[in-house]
Amino acid sequence: MTQIITAPSRYIQGQGEIAKLGVHVANLGVRNGYAIVDPFIYAHYKEEIEQSFIEVAMAVQLQVFRGECSQSQVEAILRDMEGTDIGVILGIGGGKTMDTAKAVSHFASLPVVIVPTVASTDAPCSALSVLYTDEGRLDRYLPLTRNPDLVIADVGIIAKAPPRLLAAGMGDALSTFYEARACHQSGAVTLAGGDSSIAALALARACRDTLLADGADALHAAREGKITPALEHIIEANIYLSGIGFESGGLAAAHAIHNGLTFLEECRQMVHGEKVAFGTIVQLVLEQAPVDEIRQMIHFCREVGLPVTLEELGINNPEHEKLFIVAKASCTEDGPMRNMPIKVCIDDVLEAIQAADRFGQMA
């Protein structure tokens, strides 16, 4: 039995870290940065970012991220870098900005620094990029050769992000323990390439416990624009605990259901973590988990505004044909559904989606 735990070389979380970005990057011993930056962050923090690099006499080129995290987008950036003396890639922004930066660093064989400006996904710490088509449909998971060299979470910036994105990050993190538990039971090989470990499952459990304890208070603080211990705890849970927990603990039905939902046009307006949250409820139904556990998850989702019904996902007419598309896409041979400790077929998923929807309607 081989157990593998992967993590970024260093994780830094605090207030005002964006102003120290140049120092943090320079400490890696690299030269000439190429930063892929979210448009909002570029508009509001461009001078602060550039000044931080001027202070350490290091050059940085800022490229505004637009479009999808797609293979074509990655290739376009690689072409833009041709003939330059770039020593490190930076991804500053949300999930797709960060995944694009990680993919670029992978193909360019360069170190990467990730600066999440929202706590909406557990993508920052992982050795994985999720690629989509240019139209926004799931394309494939791109395994990377290593985790980011540095992850920097500026609490001051993250606290100003839309509260919906913080809640979505909780939805993504919510699945971490239940998927890790399923992989532990099934003996599935994790994304890190090994068997489940005590440490990974413990981090995943700590992630869930932190969400249940501090999630509602953190969301309240975010809505009021306040930085509180609860908010800092949830930022750590969404980014670090979930990031290490899912990668070294494994994925299962919750993310498989998410992947299926990306095939419906009605769900395009939903954030990743919102779809994963509903997928977590579906997974618990598939596992025939205790009703109290299912209700606890639905209650938590209600508290923080995560969808618990198909209608809340934007599917106002849940026709059999539509749900069959979701169920079929979630059961692809190489998808995370294969990690479940029970055999799952398309009809099982279809019935579980409908049952989860009924649970949500009754809540």
Side-chain angles (χ1 to χ4, degrees):
M1 181 170 63
T2 301
Q3 296 172 320
I4 301 174
I5 299 173
T6 60
S9 298
R10 178 170 292 190
Y11 176 80
I12 298 172
Q13 178 177 313
Q15 296 187 49
E17 298 301 330
I18 196 76
K20 307 172 190 174
L21 184 56
V23 171
H24 292 316
V25 175
N27 285 339
L28 295 175
V30 295
R31 298 176 58 253
N32 299 333
Y34 186 100
I36 303 165
V37 187
D38 174 88
F40 177 85
I41 298 301
Y42 182 87
H44 292 83
Y45 294 94
K46 175 178 180 289
E47 292 182 5
E48 199 166 351
I49 293 170
E50 290 179 331
Q51 182 60 35
S52 76
F53 282 89
I54 290 172
E55 291 174 0
V56 294
M58 183 176 177
V60 64
Q61 178 181 340
L62 304 186
Q63 175 67 44
V64 180
F65 174 77
R66 301 188 188 280
E68 275 292 343
C69 177
S70 62
Q71 184 69 38
S72 61
Q73 175 83 268
V74 170
E75 290 173 355
I77 294 172
L78 289 169
R79 287 194 296 272
D80 186 54
M81 289 169 47
E82 287 179 0
T84 63
D85 186 24
I86 300 299
V88 60
I89 305 297
L90 294 90
I92 310 174
K96 293 189 177 183
T97 303
M98 294 183 290
D99 273 4
T100 300
K102 288 192 291 183
V104 169
S105 76
H106 172 75
F107 290 114
S109 298
L110 291 172
V112 63
V113 175
I114 296 298
V115 186
T117 56
V118 293
S120 60
T121 76
D122 50 20
C125 294
S126 72
L128 181 75
S129 283
V130 182
L131 298 182
Y132 295 82
T133 66
D134 290 325
E135 295 72 36
R137 292 186 177 182
L138 179 70
D139 179 7
R140 71 186 192 279
Y141 291 110
L142 175 66
L144 310 176
T145 55
R146 68 180 188 278
N147 295 74
D149 298 84
L150 179 61
V151 175
I152 305 169
D154 189 318
V155 173
I157 294 177
I158 293 173
K160 297 176 184 176
R164 179 189 177 187
L165 297 181
L166 183 74
M170 288 189 259
D172 197 18
L174 183 65
S175 71
T176 305
F177 171 70
Y178 300 101
E179 292 186 292
R181 182 177 69 179
C183 290
H184 180 77
Q185 292 171 350
S186 68
V189 175
T190 69
L191 291 168
D195 298 313
S196 177
S197 65
I198 295 171
L201 195 58
L203 286 173
R205 183 178 287 107
C207 181
R208 180 203 58 185
D209 293 348
T210 302
L211 293 172
L212 296 179
D214 294 324
D217 289 342
L219 188 61
H220 179 72
R223 286 170 175 161
E224 293 192 344
K226 297 179 180 178
I227 298 174
T228 65
L231 179 58
E232 292 179 314
H233 294 166
I234 291 302
I235 290 172
E236 181 182 349
N238 285 6
I239 296 175
Y240 188 79
L241 294 177
S242 182
I244 309 305
F246 99 80
E247 188 170 32
S248 297
L251 297 179
H255 272 79
I257 299 298
H258 160 272
N259 297 345
L261 289 169
T262 67
F263 282 78
L264 294 187
E265 190 66 36
E266 299 97 314
C267 295
R268 294 287 166 77
Q269 81 281 5
M270 304 306 296
V271 184
H272 172 84
E274 293 172 333
K275 289 175 282 190
V276 173
F278 183 77
T280 301
I281 300 169
V282 176
Q283 175 174 324
L284 291 175
V285 173
L286 276 170
E287 294 173 330
Q288 297 183 357
V291 172
D292 286 348
E293 188 172 43
I294 297 173
R295 286 174 176 164
Q296 181 187 46
M297 290 303 98
I298 292 175
H299 174 73
F300 172 78
C301 289
R302 285 282 187 221
E303 272 196 313
V304 298
L306 291 167
V308 298
T309 67
L310 292 171
E311 184 177 4
E312 290 169 0
L313 282 168
I315 308 172
N316 296 315
N317 298 304
E319 302 164 353
H320 179 276
E321 290 77 9
K322 288 182 180 180
L323 299 186
F324 184 82
I325 291 172
V326 175
K328 182 179 180 181
S330 72
C331 291
T332 56
E333 186 176 342
D334 59 347
M337 190 68 79
R338 71 185 188 279
N339 294 335
M340 290 292 286
I342 55 175
K343 185 175 181 180
V344 178
C345 68
I346 295 173
D347 286 341
D348 294 330
V349 177
L350 184 59
E351 291 175 8
I353 291 172
Q354 294 168 326
D357 181 52
R358 289 193 295 271
F359 269 112
Q361 291 178 37
M362 292 186 293

